[in-house]
Amino acid sequence: QVQMVESGGGMVQPGTSLRLSCAASGFTFSSHGMHWVRQAPGKGLEWVALISYDGSDRYYADSVKGRFTISRDNSKNTLYLQMNSLRTEDTAVYYCARAHAPDYWGQGILVTVSS
Amino acid sequence: QAGLTQPPSVSKGLRQTATLTCTGNNNNVGDQGAAWLQQHQGRPPKLLSYRNNNRPSGISERFSASRSGSTASLTITGLQPEDEADYYCSAWDSSLSAWVFGGGTKLTVL
């Protein structure tokens, strides 16, 4: 069955960096675009970034543009989110999800940015 | 980035019908339609419908989606206690080159 498992979260200080990973299985990863979506505590869903099936196209929310980079390694069936210059407002549960609907979601990983 | 507009809350009785709305514009909902997701507290979202009324396998026929112009709707018939959750609409915005979400509607089943 389709499964996605996020890792790499944790608590970091403002201004630092973190890289999230999303290991996918149960489908042909290299045939699907992938999203990162986040949800701040008690808030709604916020789209973060989208990458095409082959990595050639990448799209970002204005709130993370220039700070976050989405990438993928199709040989490892893994999606990444490199997060730089983290701010307190980036605190959220981060989900990876299969594009485009998005139809399948990981369980999410918590990122806390706090001094 | 502008999002989609959803009412914050809707309350309906057990076995009644609830209709949730999602308003966008010609660049998102009015272009390629909307997807609907359900999220229970502490759980990841689950896709209910995409491109207006395509249901993934395993999703109950009690959930049906539609669109009129730039407004998408999700109708849930025969409300059950387990339908109490947050519901989000989402769509690709071709002018922003961005995926957008609505703010979510909290459905309460009385």
Side-chain angles (χ1 to χ4, degrees), chain A residues 64-83:
Chain A
V64 306
K65 202 171 293 184
R67 299 187 300 124
F68 290 12
T69 301
I70 189 171
S71 63
R72 64 190 298 157
D73 185 338
N74 285 346
S75 69
K76 296 181 178 179
N77 289 349
T78 302
L79 175 73
Y80 302 101
L81 185 68
Q82 177 67 43
M83 304 185 293

Side-chain angles (χ1 to χ4, degrees), chain B residues 10-89:
Chain B
V10 168
S11 297
K12 287 289 185 179
L14 195 63
R15 293 182 295 277
Q16 289 189 331
T17 295
T19 298
L20 312 182
T21 60
C22 168
T23 303
N25 59 43
N26 290 335
N27 297 312
N28 44 58
V29 176
D31 182 10
Q32 297 189 22
W36 286 93
L37 303 115
Q38 177 193 60
Q39 187 180 34
H40 288 104
Q41 181 68 30
R43 299 288 298 161
K46 180 170 73 172
L47 182 69
L48 298 176
S49 171
Y50 60 98
R51 294 231 172 172
N52 298 324
N53 199 25
N54 292 284
R55 268 191 310 270
S57 62
I59 299 301
S60 169
E61 292 181 353
R62 297 190 299 109
F63 295 91
S64 64
S66 62
R67 180 187 67 169
S68 177
S70 298
T71 297
S73 299
L74 177 71
T75 298
I76 312 170
T77 59
L79 282 169
Q80 300 297 310
E82 60 266 28
D83 297 331
E84 189 162 289
D86 294 320
Y87 291 83
Y88 295 91
C89 61

Side-chain angles (χ1 to χ4, degrees), chain A residues 19-79:
Chain A
R19 188 177 83 156
L20 303 182
S21 299
C22 168
S25 60
F27 67 101
T28 305
F29 181 73
S30 59
S31 296
H32 290 268
M34 296 291 294
H35 294 279
W36 283 103
V37 177
R38 68 185 181 184
Q39 187 169 33
K43 302 296 185 182
L45 300 172
E46 180 188 14
W47 174 78
V48 173
L50 168 67
I51 188 168
S52 61
Y53 71 99
D54 60 355
S56 61
D57 295 309
R58 310 179 194 200
Y59 307 91
Y60 298 93
D62 286 346
S63 58
V64 306
K65 202 171 293 184
R67 299 187 300 124
F68 290 12
T69 301
I70 189 171
S71 63
R72 64 190 298 157
D73 185 338
N74 285 346
S75 69
K76 296 181 178 179
N77 289 349
T78 302
L79 175 73

